[in-house]
Coordinates of all heavy atoms in Angstrom, one line a residue:
A112 N -22.6 -9.4 -32.5 CA -22.2 -9.9 -31.2 C -23.5 -10.4 -30.4 O -24.6 -9.9 -30.7 CB -21.5 -8.8 -30.4
T113 N -23.3 -11.3 -29.5 CA -24.4 -11.8 -28.7 C -24.1 -11.7 -27.2 O -23.0 -11.3 -26.8 CB -24.7 -13.3 -29.1 OG1 -23.6 -14.1 -28.6 CG2 -24.9 -13.5 -30.6
Q114 N -25.0 -12.1 -26.3 CA -24.8 -12.2 -24.9 C -23.7 -13.2 -24.5 O -23.3 -13.2 -23.4 CB -26.1 -12.4 -24.2 CG -27.1 -11.3 -24.3 CD -28.3 -11.5 -23.4 OE1 -28.5 -12.6 -22.9 NE2 -29.1 -10.5 -23.2
D115 N -23.4 -14.1 -25.4 CA -22.2 -15.1 -25.1 C -20.9 -14.3 -25.2 O -19.9 -14.9 -24.8 CB -22.3 -16.2 -26.1 CG -23.5 -17.1 -25.9 OD1 -23.9 -17.3 -24.8 OD2 -24.0 -17.5 -27.0
D116 N -20.8 -13.1 -25.8 CA -19.6 -12.4 -25.8 C -19.6 -11.4 -24.6 O -20.7 -10.8 -24.3 CB -19.5 -11.5 -27.1 CG -19.8 -12.4 -28.4 OD1 -19.2 -13.4 -28.4 OD2 -20.5 -11.9 -29.2
F117 N -18.5 -11.3 -23.9 CA -18.6 -10.5 -22.6 C -17.3 -10.0 -22.2 O -16.2 -10.4 -22.7 CB -19.1 -11.4 -21.5 CG -18.3 -12.6 -21.2 CD1 -17.2 -12.5 -20.4 CD2 -18.7 -13.8 -21.6 CE1 -16.4 -13.7 -20.1 CE2 -18.0 -15.0 -21.3 CZ -16.9 -14.9 -20.6
L118 N -17.3 -9.0 -21.3 CA -16.1 -8.5 -20.6 C -16.5 -8.5 -19.1 O -17.6 -8.0 -18.7 CB -15.8 -7.0 -21.0 CG -14.7 -6.3 -20.3 CD1 -13.4 -7.0 -20.5 CD2 -14.7 -4.8 -20.7
R119 N -15.7 -9.1 -18.2 CA -16.0 -9.2 -16.8 C -14.8 -8.9 -16.0 O -13.7 -9.1 -16.4 CB -16.4 -10.6 -16.5 CG -17.7 -11.1 -17.2 CD -18.0 -12.6 -16.9 NE -19.2 -13.0 -17.5 CZ -19.4 -14.3 -17.9 NH1 -18.6 -15.2 -17.5 NH2 -20.6 -14.6 -18.4
V120 N -15.0 -8.3 -14.9 CA -14.1 -8.1 -13.8 C -14.6 -8.8 -12.5 O -15.7 -8.6 -12.1 CB -13.8 -6.6 -13.5 CG1 -12.9 -6.4 -12.4 CG2 -13.4 -5.8 -14.7
K121 N -13.7 -9.7 -12.0 CA -14.1 -10.5 -10.9 C -13.1 -10.2 -9.6 O -11.9 -9.9 -9.9 CB -14.1 -12.0 -11.2 CG -15.1 -12.4 -12.2 CD -15.0 -13.9 -12.5 CE -16.1 -14.3 -13.6 NZ -16.0 -15.8 -13.9
V122 N -13.6 -10.5 -8.5 CA -12.7 -10.6 -7.3 C -12.6 -12.1 -7.0 O -13.6 -12.8 -6.9 CB -13.3 -9.9 -6.1 CG1 -12.7 -10.3 -4.8 CG2 -13.1 -8.3 -6.3
V123 N -11.4 -12.6 -6.9 CA -11.2 -14.0 -6.6 C -10.4 -14.1 -5.2 O -9.2 -13.7 -5.2 CB -10.3 -14.7 -7.7 CG1 -10.1 -16.2 -7.3 CG2 -11.1 -14.6 -9.0
G124 N -11.1 -14.5 -4.2 CA -10.5 -14.7 -2.9 C -11.0 -16.0 -2.3 O -11.0 -17.1 -2.9
D125 N -11.6 -15.9 -1.1 CA -12.2 -17.1 -0.5 C -13.4 -17.6 -1.4 O -13.7 -18.7 -1.5 CB -12.7 -16.8 0.9 CG -11.5 -16.5 1.9 OD1 -10.5 -17.0 1.6 OD2 -11.8 -15.8 2.8
T126 N -14.1 -16.6 -2.0 CA -15.1 -16.8 -3.0 C -14.8 -16.1 -4.2 O -13.9 -15.2 -4.2 CB -16.5 -16.6 -2.5 OG1 -16.5 -15.2 -2.1 CG2 -16.8 -17.4 -1.2
T127 N -15.5 -16.3 -5.3 CA -15.3 -15.5 -6.5 C -16.7 -14.8 -6.9 O -17.7 -15.4 -6.9 CB -15.1 -16.5 -7.7 OG1 -13.8 -17.1 -7.5 CG2 -14.9 -15.6 -9.0
T128 N -16.5 -13.5 -7.1 CA -17.7 -12.6 -7.3 C -17.4 -11.8 -8.5 O -16.3 -11.2 -8.7 CB -17.9 -11.7 -6.1 OG1 -18.1 -12.5 -4.9 CG2 -19.1 -10.8 -6.3
T129 N -18.4 -11.6 -9.4 CA -18.4 -10.8 -10.6 C -18.7 -9.4 -10.2 O -19.9 -9.2 -9.7 CB -19.2 -11.2 -11.7 OG1 -18.9 -12.6 -12.1 CG2 -19.2 -10.3 -12.9
L130 N -17.8 -8.5 -10.3 CA -18.1 -7.0 -9.9 C -18.6 -6.2 -11.1 O -19.4 -5.3 -10.9 CB -16.7 -6.4 -9.5 CG -16.0 -6.9 -8.2 CD1 -14.7 -6.1 -8.0 CD2 -16.9 -6.8 -7.0
F131 N -18.2 -6.6 -12.3 CA -18.6 -5.8 -13.5 C -18.7 -6.7 -14.7 O -17.9 -7.6 -14.8 CB -17.4 -4.8 -13.7 CG -17.5 -4.0 -15.0 CD1 -18.3 -2.8 -15.1 CD2 -16.8 -4.4 -16.1 CE1 -18.4 -2.1 -16.2 CE2 -16.9 -3.7 -17.3 CZ -17.6 -2.6 -17.4
E132 N -19.8 -6.4 -15.5 CA -19.9 -7.2 -16.7 C -20.6 -6.4 -17.7 O -21.5 -5.7 -17.5 CB -20.8 -8.5 -16.4 CG -21.1 -9.4 -17.6 CD -21.8 -10.6 -17.3 OE1 -22.8 -10.5 -16.6 OE2 -21.4 -11.7 -17.7
Q133 N -20.1 -6.6 -19.0 CA -20.7 -6.1 -20.1 C -20.9 -7.3 -21.1 O -20.0 -8.0 -21.3 CB -20.0 -4.9 -20.8 CG -20.1 -3.6 -20.0 CD -19.9 -2.4 -20.9 OE1 -19.3 -2.5 -22.0 NE2 -20.3 -1.3 -20.4
Q134 N -22.1 -7.4 -21.7 CA -22.3 -8.5 -22.7 C -22.5 -7.8 -24.1 O -22.9 -6.7 -24.2 CB -23.6 -9.2 -22.3 CG -23.5 -10.0 -21.0 CD -24.8 -10.6 -20.6 OE1 -25.8 -10.1 -20.6 NE2 -24.7 -11.9 -20.3
G135 N -22.2 -8.7 -25.1 CA -22.4 -8.2 -26.4 C -23.9 -8.0 -26.8 O -24.7 -8.6 -26.1
Q136 N -24.1 -7.3 -27.8 CA -25.5 -7.0 -28.3 C -25.5 -6.8 -29.7 O -24.4 -6.6 -30.4 CB -26.1 -5.8 -27.6 CG -25.2 -4.5 -27.6 CD -25.8 -3.4 -26.7 OE1 -26.8 -3.0 -26.9 NE2 -24.9 -3.0 -25.8
N137 N -26.6 -6.9 -30.4 CA -26.7 -6.9 -31.9 C -26.7 -5.4 -32.3 O -27.5 -5.0 -33.1 CB -27.9 -7.6 -32.4 CG -29.2 -7.0 -31.8 OD1 -29.2 -6.2 -30.9 ND2 -30.3 -7.3 -32.4
S138 N -25.6 -4.7 -32.0 CA -25.3 -3.4 -32.5 C -23.8 -3.1 -32.5 O -23.1 -3.8 -31.7 CB -26.1 -2.3 -31.7 OG -25.6 -2.3 -30.3
I139 N -23.4 -2.2 -33.3 CA -22.0 -1.8 -33.2 C -21.5 -1.0 -32.1 O -22.2 0.0 -31.8 CB -21.6 -1.1 -34.6 CG1 -21.9 -1.9 -35.8 CG2 -20.2 -0.6 -34.5 CD1 -21.8 -1.2 -37.1

Side-chain angles (χ1 to χ4, degrees):
T113 71
Q114 291 186 349
D115 294 322
D116 309 315
F117 60 79
L118 176 65
R119 294 172 182 159
V120 178
K121 297 180 177 180
V122 163
V123 180
D125 295 335
T126 60
T127 298
T128 304
T129 299
L130 297 176
F131 171 84
E132 180 178 46
Q133 286 204 344
Q134 294 177 313
Q136 51 190 300
N137 60 346
S138 63
I139 296 171

